[in-house]
């Protein structure tokens, strides 16, 4: 990971346009190619960002981040660099799930047809370069599906699944890979983001999966 603190302005050029005026900001450049620009507030949310696949070109005073598929660009005008360092973080082991999430994963893998008739399991904990996908399976048409499971589904879970999908879709043996975001409760903002990313949402009933009730989860 590369950390750059610089006085810069940022222009986003694509489906929409946006401008951040000149100010000191933190620029994160991750090993997966993503670039995000942060202020010293707003918690974890960046002011602007570009997800991979994208390419960074550094010219004198201007950095241009271009998305490999859409051609959209982040153009950073650098006035002054205050800090520039790189750090090797290695492969992250991923978020350790609590007992309920781990059991949900086990139950859903055992009863994968809960997601649809004719669905089959490929494997649990399918490893990628950025961590394991909870469940990799095939739908009734034979298409590959990556399933991310949470107890409470929020935006960060959708972002996590999006990163997995971008990696998995680079594998010619798996692509095209669809996504399913499954949780006991899914926040409205997470549903909106998932729909925008083409990801289906499934509400899981823990007791149902344990065989206590006959109802099935609802697929939206």
């Amino acid at each position: 990971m590369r950390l750059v603190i610089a006085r810069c302005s940022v222009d986003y050029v694509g489906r929409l346009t946006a401008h951040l005026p000149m100010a000191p900001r933190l620029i994160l450049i991750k090993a997966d190619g993503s670039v995000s620009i942060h202020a010293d507030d707003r918690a974890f949310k960046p002011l602007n960002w570009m997800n991979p696949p994208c390419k960074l070109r550094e010219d004198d005073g201007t950095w241009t981040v271009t998305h490999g598929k859409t051609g959209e660009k982040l153009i950073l005008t650098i006035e002054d660099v205050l800090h520039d360092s790189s750090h090797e973080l290695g492969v992250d082991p991923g978020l350790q799930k609590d007992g309920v999430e781990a059991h949900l994963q086990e139950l859903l893998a055992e009863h994968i047809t809960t997601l649809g008739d004719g669905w089959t399991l490929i494997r649990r904990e399918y490893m990628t370069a950025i961590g394991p996908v909870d469940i990799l399976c095939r739908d009734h048409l034979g298409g590959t599906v990556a399933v991310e499971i949470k107890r409470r589904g929020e935006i960060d879970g959708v972002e996590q699944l999006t990163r997995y999908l971008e990696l998995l879709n680079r594998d010619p043996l798996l692509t095209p890979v669809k996504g399913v975001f499954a949780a006991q409760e899914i926040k409205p903002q997470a549903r909106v983001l998932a729909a925008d990313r083409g990801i289906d949402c499934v509400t899981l009933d823990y007791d149902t999966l344990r065989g206590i009730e006959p109802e099935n989860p609802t697929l939206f």
Side-chain angles (χ1 to χ4, degrees):
M1 179 182 292
R2 183 179 173 191
L3 308 176
V4 179
I5 299 175
R7 182 172 172 79
C8 63
S9 64
V10 184
D11 290 280
Y12 182 86
V13 181
R15 289 171 293 178
L16 302 173
T17 58
H19 174 72
L20 296 172
M22 191 69 67
R25 296 187 176 94
L26 169 65
I27 305 165
L28 294 183
I29 306 164
K30 295 187 178 181
D32 64 3
S34 63
V35 178
S36 57
I37 296 96
H38 298 259
D40 199 13
D41 60 7
R42 301 174 187 240
F44 63 88
K45 187 175 181 181
L47 298 168
N48 218 323
W49 67 93
M50 186 74 74
N51 287 328
C54 56
K55 183 177 181 181
L56 170 62
R57 187 183 78 242
E58 298 181 36
D59 299 316
D60 187 22
T62 303
W63 293 7
T64 303
V65 186
T66 306
H67 195 274
K69 293 182 178 179
T70 66
E72 294 175 299
K73 294 182 179 181
L74 276 179
I75 301 173
L76 289 73
T77 302
I78 308 293
E79 185 177 88
D80 187 25
V81 175
L82 306 175
H83 174 86
D84 189 344
S85 64
S86 296
H87 309 270
E88 180 60 51
L89 302 185
V91 177
D92 191 270
L95 182 66
Q96 298 297 313
K97 294 184 176 295
D98 64 23
V100 172
E101 287 186 7
H103 199 202
L104 279 171
Q105 181 192 121
E106 179 182 344
L107 290 169
L108 190 57
E110 183 179 353
H111 304 288
I112 197 65
T113 53
T114 300
L115 299 177
D117 292 336
W119 287 48
T120 57
L121 177 70
I122 297 176
R123 67 166 298 166
R124 292 171 53 194
E125 299 289 331
Y126 186 90
M127 185 57 65
T128 74
I130 58 173
V133 177
D134 287 336
I135 292 177
L136 198 68
C137 57
R138 296 195 185 279
D139 63 19
H140 65 291
L141 297 176
T144 311
V145 183
V147 184
E148 179 64 26
I149 300 170
K150 300 292 184 186
R151 184 167 62 175
R152 175 178 295 177
E154 301 192 48
I155 285 177
D156 58 348
V158 179
E159 293 283 10
Q160 181 181 0
L161 179 54
T162 299
R163 293 191 293 271
Y164 288 147
L165 290 171
E166 288 183 350
L167 279 178
L168 292 170
N169 273 301
R170 298 178 195 175
D171 187 337
L173 299 178
L174 297 176
T175 190
V177 185
K178 299 188 300 183
V180 169
F181 188 54
Q184 289 180 284
E185 174 192 358
I186 300 178
K187 296 295 185 180
Q189 300 93 331
R191 288 187 182 277
V192 171
L193 182 60
D196 183 68
R197 303 281 172 85
I199 295 171
D200 291 328
C201 289
V202 174
T203 303
L204 298 174
D205 187 306
Y206 186 49
D207 290 337
T208 297
L209 285 172
R210 294 173 65 194
I212 295 175
E213 297 179 3
E215 297 179 359
N216 291 323
T218 302
L219 179 63
F220 296 91

